[in-house]
């Protein structure tokens, strides 16, 4: 398991020592003969599956990372924090972190070598087999397999990015350790929201039908597996007699800032794949030491059967 704090802290420190040029000294020369401009930046990656959230209390007694940082003596990975804070995951969706899958193949006869082929993976949902009544003299009509699949192909992924300015004054005020802890928590909260936005956008892009109880029954779904997410327009939202927040007269729901409309569905039949590696770039903006931190994440909405979602 990797120490995310140490990794980002090292990137910040390295970026502060970067120059805007690189020199070239040919063999036999004592001094450079040419200079080439470059970005004063450091790059690295953060693995969501093997990096930990920061603890709540630092050595100096300050409270860091609220509201989702781990308590003293506990450890949680960054992907666990995303799962904990995703509204879609709370409604039942699957949030998975995956690497870039590849398969090694031997190539060449006279000059053999190894090539790596990307292998697409799948997120599948399985429904009940459609048994029908037949008699001994009748042929059984063939049916399609009741399996829906969404492909996990990183070449089709959606990139989500964020950029933070970290002025020298803030670095001097609270130090790199606290900055890194706060950035890690912000990353996790932001990735949870980004994954929700990706999945909800994919659902809404299919133009879901208006919710009815009959449509739920036709899909063979149970009412208690349905959940609602109420967007910023607040359509159809209210409180049940028992005080639960609900839509459509009683479907248990929550709010989300990551869509405008209201979605009802079997969220357990959908999900989001997040690439486990987050690309990080730290740039030194000026000679004062102001830094800029950029992060890029890649996600794929997994929606094998859009017909189990509705709007109100």
């Amino acid at each position: 398991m990797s120490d995310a704090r140490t990794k980002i802290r090292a990137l910040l420190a390295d970026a502060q020592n970067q120059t805007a040029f690189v020199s070239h000294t040919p063999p036999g020369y004592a001094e450079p003969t040419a200079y080439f401009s470059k970005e004063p930046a450091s790059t690295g990656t953060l693995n969501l599956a093997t990096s930990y959230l920061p603890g709540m209390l630092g050595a100096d007694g300050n409270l860091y990372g609220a509201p989702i940082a781990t308590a003293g003596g506990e450890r949680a990975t960054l992907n666990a924090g995303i799962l904990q804070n995703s509204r879609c995951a709370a409604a039942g969706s699957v949030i998975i972190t995956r690497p870039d899958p590849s398969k090694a193949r031997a190539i060449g006869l006279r000059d053999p070598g190894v090539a790596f082929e990307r292998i697409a993976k799948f997120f599948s949902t399985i429904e009940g087999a459609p048994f029908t009544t037949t008699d001994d003299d009748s042929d059984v009509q063939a049916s399609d397999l009741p399996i829906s699949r969404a492909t996990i192909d990183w070449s089709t992924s959606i990139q989500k990015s964020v950029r933070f300015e970290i002025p020298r004054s803030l670095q001097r005020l609270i130090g790199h350790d606290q900055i890194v802890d706060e950035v890690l928590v912000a990353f996790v909260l932001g990735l949870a929201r980004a994954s929700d936005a990706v999945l909800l956008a994919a659902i809404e892009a299919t133009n879901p039908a208006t919710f009815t109880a009959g449509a739920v029954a036709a899909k063979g779904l149970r009412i208690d597996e349905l959940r609602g997410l109420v967007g910023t327009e607040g359509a159809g939202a209210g409180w049940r007699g028992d005080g639960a927040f609900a839509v459509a007269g009683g479907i248990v729901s929550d709010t989300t800032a990551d869509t405008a409309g209201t979605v009802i569905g079997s969220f357990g039949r959908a999900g989001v794949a997040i690439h486990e590696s987050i690309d990080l770039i730290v740039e030194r903006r000026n000679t004062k030491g102001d830094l800029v931190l950029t992060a890029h994440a890649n996600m794929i909405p997994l929606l094998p059967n859009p017909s189990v979602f509705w709007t109100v």
Side-chain angles (χ1 to χ4, degrees):
M1 293 291 185
S2 64
D3 185 343
R5 176 194 286 180
T6 300
K7 182 173 291 188
I8 301 179
R9 176 76 169 80
L11 284 177
L12 295 178
D14 185 66
Q16 286 184 319
N17 296 321
Q18 289 290 320
T19 61
F21 64 88
V22 60
S23 60
H24 173 66
T25 304
Y29 285 73
E31 299 292 337
T33 60
Y35 293 88
F36 304 94
S37 62
K38 72 174 186 67
E39 292 292 332
S42 297
T43 62
T45 60
L46 189 64
N47 191 298
L48 297 176
T50 61
S51 300
Y52 287 112
L53 277 167
M56 294 183 78
L57 291 176
D60 57 2
N62 286 326
L63 177 66
Y64 295 139
I68 66 164
T70 55
E74 298 180 3
R75 303 191 80 185
T77 56
L78 300 184
N79 58 355
I82 296 170
L83 184 66
Q84 176 187 347
N85 287 275
S86 162
R87 304 291 173 88
C88 288
S93 294
V94 178
I95 307 293
I96 58 175
T97 52
R98 291 291 302 275
D100 219 347
S102 60
K103 182 178 181 180
R105 291 185 180 274
I107 59 172
L109 295 176
R110 297 181 179 179
D111 188 15
V114 176
F116 287 91
E117 175 188 4
R118 288 187 175 182
I119 306 298
K121 300 299 182 181
F122 304 97
F123 172 76
S124 304
T125 60
I126 304 173
E127 306 298 340
F131 284 90
T132 59
T133 301
T134 60
D135 56 53
D136 293 339
D137 298 324
S138 300
D139 292 331
V140 180
Q141 185 176 358
S143 303
D144 293 333
L145 286 172
I147 300 170
S148 302
R149 292 184 176 88
T151 303
I152 303 176
D153 181 358
W154 293 113
S155 66
T156 66
S157 64
I158 298 168
Q159 180 171 289
K160 293 288 188 177
S161 305
V162 69
R163 185 176 175 90
F164 295 128
E165 293 187 359
I166 309 174
R168 176 66 175 170
S169 58
L170 181 63
Q171 299 171 51
R172 292 172 58 86
L173 178 65
I174 64 176
H176 280 180
D177 284 346
Q178 185 173 347
I179 290 173
V180 170
D181 282 356
E182 293 171 352
V183 164
L184 282 171
V185 173
F187 277 171
V188 169
L189 291 171
L191 288 169
R193 287 195 56 177
S195 66
D196 289 348
V198 164
L199 179 55
L200 291 170
I203 292 171
E204 293 184 343
T206 66
N207 295 316
T210 301
F211 175 81
T212 65
V216 175
K219 290 297 178 182
L221 304 176
R222 301 189 311 271
I223 290 297
D224 63 4
E225 69 180 283
L226 300 180
R227 290 294 183 270
L229 285 176
V230 179
T232 54
E233 293 176 353
W239 278 263
R240 299 190 313 199
D242 61 358
F245 186 67
V247 295
I251 304 299
V252 176
S253 302
D254 200 350
T255 59
T256 175
D258 298 305
T259 188
T262 294
V263 175
I264 299 173
S266 177
F267 280 87
R269 288 171 167 79
V272 177
I274 306 176
H275 200 289
E276 67 179 15
S277 294
I278 305 299
D279 294 323
L280 302 176
I281 304 170
V282 181
E283 307 164 61
R284 182 173 59 79
R285 167 159 287 187
N286 49 44
T287 57
K288 295 188 301 181
D290 295 339
L291 300 175
V292 177
L293 171 61
T294 304
H296 301 290
N298 290 86
M299 303 179 179
I300 303 172
L302 305 174
L303 194 61
N305 185 6
S307 65
V308 295
F309 290 92
W310 299 268
T311 57
V312 296

